[in-house]
Amino acid sequence: MIQFSEVSKRYAGGNEALASVSFNIEHGEMVFLTGPSGAGKSTLLKLLALIERPSRGQIIVNGQNLGGIRRGQIPHYRRKVGMIFQDHKLLHDRPVFDNVALPLIIAGVAYQDIPKRVSAALELVGLAHKERALPVMLSTGEQQRVGIARAVISRPPILIADEPTGNLDPDLSFEVMQLFRRLNQVGITVLVASHDHNLIRRLGQRVLSLRAGRVVAPELQGDAHAGRA
Amino acid sequence: MPAARDDGARGARLSRQTLGQRFAAYRLHHRQMLAAGFERLRRYPLATLMTVMVIGIALALPAGTLVLVSNAKSVSGTWQGAARISLFLKQNLSDSAVQQLADSVRAHAGVASVKVITASQSLAEFRQHSGFGDTLSLLGSNPLPAVLVIRPTNDYTTPVAAQQLGHELGVLPQVAEVRMDIQWLRRLQAMLDILHRAVLIIALLLALAVVLIVGNTIRLEIENRRTEIEVSKLMGATDAFIRRPFLYHGAWYGLAGGVMAWILVLIALLLMAGPVAHLASLYGSRFSLSGLGFEGSLVLLVSGIALGWLGSWVAVARHLRAIEPT
Ligand SMILES: Nc1ncnc2c1ncn2[C@@H]1O[C@H](COP(=O)(O)OP(=O)(O)O)[C@@H](O)[C@H]1O
Ligand SMILES: [Mg+2]
């Protein structure tokens, strides 16, 4: 589903954020991307979101070579990748409903279908009654769940999340991760960047470790995924 | 159930949405952006009013001046009494020869009426009006010629046609000189032509100003909505989708500015109606200023919308691409 071959990324400043990274994530897998701050986790996810382009190497997502995607085609690619951010990136002047509906409106989904799907997505993240609320009226954990509802509403086959629990206390973090696990169980391929080792250990999924832009001990806890693939 | 079990099921569900539904959603988005653009204008009424006022003034100046110029042109083009041709005849023509000439001139298609002023009538008139009567009697003979005063038919009242008629009559052997009091009218028309051209040039510059005003307003709006643009791009929004609300926003500004200009022109014309009616009455005319009319109003509003749209295009083309998620 996600295949990196010898991918390097050097930023304009001369920093080599990723150095010859290769790995393969199967369809329906859930993988944690770990590593200390500055290891290159965000960079790797940005390459997947086509926010950045690799300096070298090849990335294939869902059978599509990202190198062959021109600027004008990026929007259509992004609609098939659900994205979740540490800072939620919600629109604070719009109610929850509008935030969650945004991907559907962008994709041109028929309007009569939108309320139903927004309700279903909010129900999935346990916020069924918050449609009319503004994001500021919600707790940080609830805001993150709104972000997750928005990421899954267009039913993307892939979900990527950059430190989604970075601002949450351990209980809420575990809840959010459980939510990802459930989404993974209905068939979505999930890639979550996190440096919360305790949490990752509790969830027992495959871990991809980065250090200074290189993959180290890629199958550190590989047993968990071996049974599922 | 937003998540799909596999790609096959997902594909099937997506394709269930027909092209027609998709187009309906697209049209609805347009309508919503139209409404949202208007909502934005309403949200900051004072700032909006100021911008709209500036656009309105910039559009009203050329529109109002053009209305005045075209009024002046229509007045000067149909000035009935002005197109009068005086034929000064040669000396020593007998009164009967003058009458004969008057009859043949009267037969011309372009001549409505001929008034004959014989040499002795000229002299009597001159005596009466000038007060130089005694001086003239010293000369012994009458130095004044007979005059035919010609009023052209309606077809020949325009400066150009009257000029042509004057030329035709001027070549008659009995005529010493043709005097037309339309010379000033032709000069006036020439000046109005220049004024008209000048107003058009100024209109172009002011149109550019409107584009820049709207462009700058939309640039600020883009800056204010940076996060929204970034998030929308991350959610897969195309450039066209992101452009749309700003283009509508700019078009609304243009339309509001056009309406403002229309009102300003109307007020100016109302303020001038009284003095103009007074002036017209001095000329014995019932002329009154004509306004923008339906066509003019339409042109004004459409230009407003077009300039607003263009202004936001400029802003959007320059600034939207630069905003990319990081
Ligand atoms: N836009 C950028 N320009 C230059 N250097 C960058 C940029 N983004 C990240 N880096 C550098 O790349 C390295 C990896 O960063 P990042 O991918 O954010 O790591 P992580 O998310 O694991 O903390 C760091 O050294 C960081 O300073
Ligand atoms: Mg990071």
Side-chain angles (χ1 to χ4, degrees):
Chain A
M1 197 65 169
I2 301 173
Q3 192 186 332
F4 273 56
S5 315
E6 307 275 316
V7 173
S8 299
K9 173 66 185 176
R10 183 182 290 277
Y11 283 107
N15 248 340
E16 177 125 276
L18 291 177
S20 202
V21 170
S22 299
F23 63 87
N24 194 7
I25 296 175
E26 297 296 331
H27 178 249
E29 245 190 311
M30 176 157 177
V31 176
F32 283 107
L33 188 60
T34 70
S37 182
K41 305 183 292 296
S42 296
T43 300
L44 193 152
L45 294 183
K46 281 175 189 170
L47 294 179
L48 272 177
L50 282 178
I51 295 168
E52 296 286 351
R53 297 280 194 170
S55 316
R56 260 178 293 120
Q58 176 177 275
I59 304 169
I60 293 175
V61 177
N62 210 355
Q64 196 174 13
N65 186 344
L66 299 198
I69 296 180
R70 291 191 317 270
R71 187 183 183 277
Q73 303 168 315
I74 290 177
H76 299 278
Y77 166 78
R78 284 192 182 144
R79 290 176 199 176
K80 290 181 284 182
V81 181
M83 296 177 207
I84 290 146
F85 314 92
Q86 178 171 1
D87 59 355
H88 325 312
K89 290 201 195 298
L90 298 180
L91 304 179
H92 289 279
D93 57 340
R94 312 288 175 81
V96 166
F97 182 95
D98 294 22
N99 270 282
V100 176
L102 184 63
L104 298 184
I105 292 167
I106 286 172
V109 169
Y111 267 70
Q112 60 267 28
D113 295 348
I114 289 180
K116 230 172 33 217
R117 287 177 63 172
V118 171
S119 300
L122 283 174
E123 199 164 322
L124 184 88
V125 299
L127 290 173
H129 51 290
K130 299 281 190 180
E131 280 188 5
R132 294 280 124 228
L134 285 173
V136 284
M137 297 152 71
L138 304 178
S139 71
T140 319
E142 286 172 327
Q143 287 186 27
Q144 187 55 286
R145 282 187 282 158
V146 171
I148 294 170
R150 182 181 64 184
V152 298
I153 193 162
S154 49
R155 300 163 182 149
I158 297 173
L159 210 53
I160 60 178
D162 194 0
E163 314 257 7
T165 62
N167 297 330
L168 304 182
D169 63 46
D171 283 348
L172 279 175
S173 298
F174 188 68
E175 239 172 72
V176 165
M177 290 300 188
Q178 289 273 278
L179 185 54
F180 283 127
R181 186 75 189 92
R182 262 190 289 144
L183 291 167
N184 171 239
Q185 278 164 346
V186 296
I188 301 181
T189 306
V190 180
L191 179 58
V192 180
S194 170
H195 55 245
D196 189 339
H197 289 287
N198 290 331
L199 190 60
I200 293 169
R201 211 164 292 132
R202 268 172 87 185
L203 284 145
Q205 297 294 318
R206 178 183 165 194
V207 174
L208 199 61
S209 275
L210 284 178
R211 204 155 303 238
R214 292 177 187 278
V215 178
V216 290
E219 305 296 328
L220 206 66
Q221 303 178 357
D223 291 349
H225 102 278
R228 285 183 9 87
Chain B
M1 41 145 270
R5 212 149 265 295
D6 61 50
D7 279 342
R10 215 181 65 85
R13 229 169 307 173
L14 271 185
S15 64
R16 232 178 35 204
Q17 196 179 349
T18 66
L19 205 64
Q21 278 175 322
R22 249 163 207 280
F23 188 61
Y26 172 81
R27 275 201 326 249
L28 195 66
H29 183 246
H30 269 274
R31 276 216 301 283
Q32 287 197 326
M33 289 303 104
L34 195 67
F38 186 68
E39 197 47 48
R40 290 229 162 67
L41 295 191
R42 269 192 15 186
R43 202 178 304 165
Y44 308 101
L46 201 67
T48 299
L49 188 68
M50 269 159 57
T51 307
V52 167
M53 198 71 193
V54 173
I55 299 168
I57 291 170
L59 290 174
L61 278 175
T65 320
L66 278 177
V67 165
L68 289 183
V69 170
S70 73
N71 268 299
K73 278 184 139 180
S74 82
V75 168
S76 65
T78 61
W79 218 311
Q80 289 294 333
R84 197 185 294 163
I85 301 166
S86 302
L87 299 182
F88 291 82
L89 304 183
K90 289 191 173 136
Q91 299 279 2
N92 65 44
L93 275 177
S94 69
D95 282 1
S96 63
V98 169
Q99 278 302 339
Q100 223 174 335
L101 181 65
D103 288 340
S104 67
V105 166
R106 203 170 275 127
H108 191 284
V111 176
S113 71
V114 178
K115 187 182 166 203
V116 180
I117 304 172
T118 61
S120 45
Q121 280 172 330
S122 292
L123 186 61
E125 210 172 293
F126 187 79
R127 278 220 172 94
Q128 204 185 331
H129 288 113
S130 67
F132 286 114
D134 296 338
T135 326
L136 278 175
S137 52
L138 289 178
L139 290 172
S141 67
N142 180 0
L144 297 177
V147 182
L148 298 185
V149 179
I150 292 159
R151 187 185 289 280
T153 53
N154 280 340
D155 294 345
Y156 281 82
T157 42
T158 64
V160 176
Q163 181 83 0
Q164 195 199 331
L165 181 62
H167 273 303
E168 274 176 42
L169 299 175
V171 297
L172 292 171
Q174 300 94 323
V175 175
E177 194 186 342
V178 180
R179 191 71 62 76
M180 293 193 287
D181 34 11
I182 56 164
Q183 200 55 39
W184 69 274
L185 204 55
R186 286 160 45 88
R187 292 192 183 123
L188 176 65
Q189 286 234 322
M191 280 189 265
L192 286 176
D193 281 339
I194 294 171
L195 190 60
H196 193 240
R197 184 67 58 88
V199 172
L200 286 181
I201 293 168
I202 293 169
L204 276 181
L205 291 176
L206 288 169
L208 185 66
V210 170
V211 168
L212 294 178
I213 294 161
V214 174
N216 195 48
T217 310
I218 297 298
R219 181 184 63 79
L220 292 175
E221 180 74 13
I222 290 172
E223 212 40 61
N224 285 340
R225 298 173 66 192
R226 207 186 176 89
T227 320
E228 185 181 343
I229 294 167
E230 281 181 19
V231 170
S232 298
K233 283 195 173 181
L234 285 171
M235 300 293 125
T238 57
D239 286 348
F241 181 94
I242 290 170
R243 245 189 331 253
R244 214 166 286 148
F246 295 106
L247 294 182
Y248 277 120
H249 197 173
W252 272 117
Y253 267 122
L255 176 61
V259 170
M260 178 65 74
W262 190 86
I263 293 170
L264 291 176
V265 169
L266 189 72
I267 291 172
L269 288 176
L270 285 177
L271 289 175
M272 288 166 75
V276 167
H278 179 64
L279 179 65
S281 75
L282 292 181
Y283 280 88
S285 154
R286 298 180 61 199
F287 171 81
S288 68
L289 280 177
S290 39
L292 281 163
F294 176 75
E295 217 171 288
S297 307
L298 201 66
V299 169
L300 180 58
L301 295 184
V302 170
S303 329
I305 295 172
L307 291 174
W309 186 273
L310 190 67
S312 45
W313 247 112
V314 172
V316 157
R318 286 200 40 178
H319 303 287
L320 223 47
R321 249 172 193 259
I323 301 179
E324 284 291 341
T326 51

